Amino acid sequence: MKKGIHLLFGLLVFGSTLYSQPVISLVEIAAGFSKPVDISHANDSRLFITEQAGVIKILRENGQIDPGPFLEITDRVNDSGNERGLLGLAFHPDFSNNGYFFVNYTGSGGHTRVSRFNLLPGNPEKGDPNSELILLTINQPYSNHNGGDLVFGPDGYLYIGMGDGGSGGDPQNHGQTLTSLLGKMLRIDVNNQDAGLNYVIPPDNPFASDTLNIRDEIWAIGLRNPWRFSFDRLTGDLWIGDVGQEEWEEIDFQPAGSSGGLNYGWRCYEGTHAYNTSSCGPIGNYIPPVYDYSQTVTGGCSVTGGYVYRGCAYPNLWGYYLFADYCNGQFWAIAPSDVGGWQVHTLSNLANLQYTSFGENYLGELFVTAHSQGKIYRVTETSGPSFAIDATVQDETCEGAGDGAIALSWPPVNEPLELLWENQDTSAMLDSLVAGTYCATYSGGNGCQSSLCVEVGQGVFEAPDIQWNDTILAVPAGFVSYQWYLDGTLIEGAQDSTFMPLITGAYSVEVTNDAGCLAGSSPFTVVINNVREQSGDVSWNISPNPFSTSWDFFLEMKKAGHVDLEVFQLNGLSVWRQSWKNTSRIESRIDANAWPKGAYWVRLSTEKGQWTDQILKQ
């Protein structure tokens, strides 16, 4: 038998998203790079750091940088100016088998080149600079707005972000011109080749079947300079950080499952604000950003798109898209709102270190490049809990019973939670447990997992001995509950640490300790003189018995003395008492009209002894 079980916090919320606001900081993990602009992974523990001049280096989990480059192509990279150079790196989804990786760089003539490389034969730590296969060469009319990012989508196709060609204000209106690859998001199949191409146009590209002179590679239009974009590794949603012109920086969004062809509005609109609406439709014809911010108000100048956090280390970050500004070091976080739309949180300003790129490792943890410092930082969350189960043994099991209990608790976090015990139970609390070890696994939405084993002990509890002082039975105070018994039968209402017996019998008590365990004492026999008459000394009588409203008490003693008469309920509580001094004869009527119906004990005490009898009110 146990006392009631109560869940500690009631905080486990399975399959729901709370989106607590995060608080982030940056932890330096490596230094010594020259103008880092990109962070990539090959689905293993390595990070690949792209340097603008044309070098890719490997950064190990312990913070060590491999002494030699993974790839060096400085001989063909033009890094003159602030926006040219080796700008992007993407590993083929099947890189572990085929060794293919892809880069986006500015060639010697200022054009954009997207190329495939492969590993040196037999060396997984080195790319072969002589293995270049050029996929795309795109002329750039100016030295800025080259885009530069390239990412494999969940569909296995390669997405390429292209700026509008540069200068200012998109003077040639590339963003809205479907015959140009500039100002677009491109999508190609690199696993196959068409005639005259080193890639294939996916058949479901939005303009693949047109009969006009539209470039079939186009997936989305109306972008100014999508410097950094990423796919949510859980949902497949596409997030684009599109660098603004004079005033507005924007974050664009494309939901998973989109059929493409979205128009994000540039140059007609800069964010949600008109820019050059000549020959443009109303703003409702274009896809607005999920968020834009003012350069004037924030002191920023260039948005650096980031990632949706799907790592395991920081549950409070889970589900947030993080991004920053290159010029002022301000960070933001965006997540879906509970009422529709988006909630945006302005996070810390982490100093102007020219954050050129975010990246994630194979586990979904986030990193940023500090261009001016040549450093790599890990994004951390400082306000929330770590990924772990908090378990409390609510109760040990008591001897001879299966009544242990375990409660799990988890602070409110953004991550949907799934819990599984070894017995396939999914509740936050287990009860009715026998002694033993119980293990649970907690899984997050991105496959994050933590396990914990909890031991339920076998409580051994012995009831204390009963003490007797000729009048009262007692056990020590301090237990949670008490229940007295007479000859094995429960005495109603007898639930204190003491009890006054009125008749002869074997008395015992059950006590409950603060762990909820129940123990019963050994019986203690009490002998009460319950002779109604004692010849020659005391003679007494009660009538009538049973009675209805009152009863008469008669007593006659051989020698005058003190007399005490008391009436008790069966649970030992006194309901009436009267005393007489220096008397030898008593005739008294006792009014019992207010007493409840039922059985009562009468106890007579004189200098000659003590006697009891039972009466009944009907």
Side-chain angles (χ1 to χ4, degrees):
M1 178 179 176
K2 287 292 259 303
K3 61 181 183 292
I5 305 298
H6 303 282
L7 184 61
L8 278 183
F9 302 110
L11 295 177
L12 275 172
V13 182
F14 301 109
S16 113
T17 303
L18 301 174
Y19 288 112
S20 304
Q21 179 171 348
V23 177
I24 67 167
S25 63
L26 301 182
V27 176
E28 180 184 327
I29 64 168
F33 294 98
S34 175
K35 296 182 179 179
V37 293
D38 198 20
I39 303 173
S40 307
H41 72 84
N43 207 30
D44 57 36
S45 63
R46 298 173 295 177
L47 288 179
F48 293 81
I49 311 302
T50 299
E51 296 181 333
Q52 194 169 352
V55 177
I56 300 172
K57 296 179 179 178
I58 295 177
L59 175 61
R60 302 290 175 174
E61 277 190 302
N62 61 5
Q64 297 299 309
I65 305 168
D66 283 7
F70 171 75
L71 182 73
E72 182 176 355
I73 53 172
T74 54
D75 59 336
R76 67 203 81 171
V77 171
N78 177 0
D79 65 334
S80 62
N82 192 46
E83 298 184 35
R84 289 174 166 172
L86 178 57
L87 304 178
L89 168 66
F91 288 89
H92 193 282
D94 197 30
F95 171 76
S96 62
N97 291 315
N98 62 30
Y100 292 156
F101 59 97
F102 299 78
V103 297
N104 184 327
Y105 69 90
T106 310
S108 57
H111 51 270
T112 288
R113 180 175 286 174
V114 176
S115 293
R116 187 193 80 190
F117 289 82
N118 51 263
L119 294 172
L120 280 170
N123 190 344
E125 309 297 339
K126 296 291 183 181
D128 182 358
N130 298 317
S131 65
E132 182 175 11
L133 175 69
I134 299 172
L135 305 181
L136 279 168
T137 298
I138 303 172
N139 290 329
Q140 294 282 359
Y142 304 99
S143 63
N144 57 342
H145 303 182
N146 291 317
D149 207 2
L150 68 172
V151 179
F152 279 95
D155 52 16
Y157 294 133
L158 184 63
Y159 290 72
I160 304 163
M162 295 301 302
D164 64 7
S167 185
D170 193 6
Q172 300 173 29
N173 198 23
H174 288 297
Q176 295 298 317
T177 302
L178 292 173
T179 57
S180 170
L181 295 179
L182 299 175
K184 311 295 190 303
M185 185 68 68
L186 311 181
R187 179 179 184 248
I188 62 175
D189 177 0
V190 299
N191 294 317
N192 300 284
Q193 294 183 351
D194 265 340
L197 298 175
N198 288 324
Y199 59 89
V200 169
I201 302 296
D204 59 347
N205 269 13
F207 306 106
S209 60
D210 71 273
T211 58
L212 303 175
N213 192 27
I214 297 175
R215 294 299 301 262
D216 295 341
E217 295 89 345
I218 295 173
W219 177 253
I221 70 174
L223 296 165
R224 181 181 177 274
N225 191 23
W227 164 245
R228 287 293 175 257
F229 64 93
S230 65
F231 288 93
D232 184 335
R233 61 161 53 191
L234 178 65
T235 66
D237 297 331
L238 174 61
W239 293 80
I240 306 169
D242 194 15
V243 179
Q245 177 63 46
E246 295 179 346
E247 179 62 21
W248 297 97
E249 304 295 314
E250 68 181 87
I251 299 295
D252 295 314
F253 178 80
Q254 176 186 284
S258 170
S259 58
L262 302 184
N263 188 338
Y264 291 101
W266 176 254
R267 72 180 179 180
C268 299
Y269 298 92
E270 183 186 15
T272 55
H273 310 271
Y275 183 78
N276 182 347
T277 57
S278 175
S279 302
C280 298
I283 194 169
N285 291 358
Y286 305 91
I287 304 301
V290 296
Y291 183 68
D292 59 2
Y293 65 91
S294 166
Q295 297 176 6
T296 301
V297 172
T298 64
C301 74
S302 178
V303 66
T304 299
Y307 285 79
V308 176
Y309 179 79
R310 298 297 184 186
C312 296
Y314 309 109
N316 263 14
L317 280 183
W318 201 90
Y320 272 113
Y321 174 75
L322 269 66
F323 64 100
D325 188 273
Y326 172 81
C327 291
N328 66 0
Q330 182 65 59
F331 282 68
W332 289 266
I334 299 178
S337 171
D338 292 338
V339 294
W342 305 93
Q343 53 177 307
V344 181
H345 297 293
T346 300
L347 306 181
S348 301
N349 187 306
L350 299 175
N352 179 15
L353 301 180
Q354 296 180 338
Y355 300 111
T356 46
S357 185
F358 285 77
E360 61 176 359
N361 66 8
Y362 74 111
L363 297 173
E365 301 303 324
L366 298 188
F367 302 82
V368 291
T369 58
H371 192 251
S372 59
Q373 284 191 321
K375 294 182 177 181
I376 308 299
Y377 291 87
R378 176 171 176 161
V379 179
T380 65
E381 207 282 326
T382 59
S383 69
S386 61
F387 188 90
I389 299 173
D390 182 19
T392 301
V393 177
Q394 292 284 88
D395 290 286
E396 291 186 330
T397 183
C398 300
E399 187 174 13
D403 48 12
I406 301 171
L408 299 187
S409 60
W410 182 259
V413 295
N414 299 342
E415 188 168 3
L417 316 179
E418 294 181 4
L419 176 70
L420 185 65
W421 293 92
E422 285 183 325
N423 65 355
Q424 305 304 303
D425 198 318
T426 59
S427 61
M429 182 168 181
L430 294 185
D431 55 14
S432 302
L433 303 177
V434 299
T437 301
Y438 297 84
C439 297
T441 298
Y442 167 93
S443 299
N446 192 32
C448 304
Q449 200 170 80
S450 182
S451 297
L452 186 68
C453 293
V454 185
E455 184 175 353
V456 175
Q458 175 75 49
V460 178
F461 175 50
E462 295 181 359
D465 292 334
I466 295 175
Q467 304 298 315
W468 168 249
N469 67 354
D470 296 331
T471 304
I472 300 293
L473 297 169
V475 291
F479 293 103
V480 173
S481 67
Y482 303 82
Q483 178 60 61
W484 290 90
Y485 293 81
L486 172 60
D487 296 329
T489 300
L490 183 145
I491 304 173
E492 293 288 345
Q495 296 176 335
D496 294 320
S497 60
T498 61
F499 181 74
M500 178 182 293
L502 300 173
I503 60 174
T504 297
Y507 290 86
S508 61
V509 64
E510 284 183 341
V511 295
T512 304
N513 66 9
D514 56 7
C517 295
L518 184 70
S521 71
S522 299
F524 184 92
T525 300
V526 176
V527 178
I528 301 293
N529 184 353
N530 61 352
V531 178
R532 289 185 51 119
E533 298 178 1
Q534 183 169 325
S535 177
D537 289 314
V538 179
S539 175
W540 65 289
N541 188 43
I542 296 172
S543 64
N545 188 11
F547 67 94
S548 57
T549 59
S550 63
W551 50 279
D552 294 321
F553 169 64
F554 169 79
L555 176 140
E556 189 170 40
M557 296 191 301
K558 186 175 181 179
K559 182 179 180 180
H562 180 84
V563 176
D564 186 80
L565 187 66
E566 190 167 6
V567 180
F568 299 88
Q569 292 178 326
L570 295 185
N571 62 8
L573 297 179
S574 176
V575 296
W576 183 91
R577 181 178 181 179
Q578 186 170 341
S579 298
W580 293 267
K581 295 182 177 180
N582 196 26
T583 184
S584 61
R585 181 181 176 85
I586 300 173
E587 292 186 46
S588 178
R589 173 160 292 182
I590 290 89
D591 182 6
N593 189 56
W595 301 359
K597 294 180 179 180
Y600 294 85
W601 287 104
V602 179
R603 183 176 65 188
L604 172 66
S605 301
T606 72
E607 285 94 339
K608 292 293 184 179
Q610 187 178 91
W611 299 267
T612 60
D613 199 359
Q614 191 175 65
I615 59 174
L616 179 66
K617 181 180 179 182
Q618 59 185 8

